[in-house]
Amino acid sequence: MEALFVVLLAGHLLCVNVASVAPLLTIWWERLEARGDRDAGDWGRTILWHSISLLTVGVAIGLLLGWLHWTPEYAAALQRLRSKVIFGILELLFSLVLMLIQVVW
């Protein structure tokens, strides 16, 4: 069970970290596109779509990890940190909206 937890946690961290960096790289590729490099813009949009997918997968894995380790103590701790949990969820949704806006833009 511990090995599964380690693999899932590693996958979760990889997904959310790559998903958070990729939009910053696409800004650079958009700049190259503005200078005439059409392939850079296409590459940036492709990476951005993959970033959105990775964010979704990372959140799903995170929820799975929370479900696998759910205990009454864990629930009580989250209840004490309720505002931080809500802020985290809003932050994830805001990131997703910004990435979608960037794809459309």
Side-chain angles (χ1 to χ4, degrees):
M1 185 70 166
E2 255 184 66
L4 175 64
F5 177 77
V6 169
V7 170
L8 286 174
L9 182 60
H12 165 73
L13 292 173
L14 181 66
C15 286
V16 295
N17 285 323
V18 170
S20 67
V21 170
L24 297 174
L25 292 174
T26 60
I27 293 170
W28 179 63
W29 284 315
E30 286 176 5
R31 188 170 179 213
L32 291 176
E33 183 182 31
R35 293 181 176 180
D37 187 356
R38 177 78 179 166
D39 291 335
D42 292 340
W43 179 248
R45 280 182 289 282
T46 301
I47 293 297
L48 193 56
W49 277 113
H50 289 300
S51 176
I52 292 168
S53 300
L54 284 172
L55 180 63
T56 305
V57 169
V59 167
I61 294 172
L63 291 172
L64 177 63
L65 286 169
W67 178 73
L68 287 174
H69 291 308
W70 194 260
T71 62
E73 293 82 14
Y74 189 63
L78 285 179
Q79 190 63 19
R80 285 193 306 267
L81 300 171
R82 183 177 176 88
S83 65
K84 294 189 184 296
V85 171
I86 291 171
F87 180 76
I89 292 168
L90 291 175
E91 186 177 349
L92 283 171
L93 291 173
F94 182 70
S95 296
L96 183 61
V97 167
L98 286 179
M99 283 191 264
L100 290 170
I101 288 171
Q102 191 175 5
V103 167
V104 172
W105 179 27

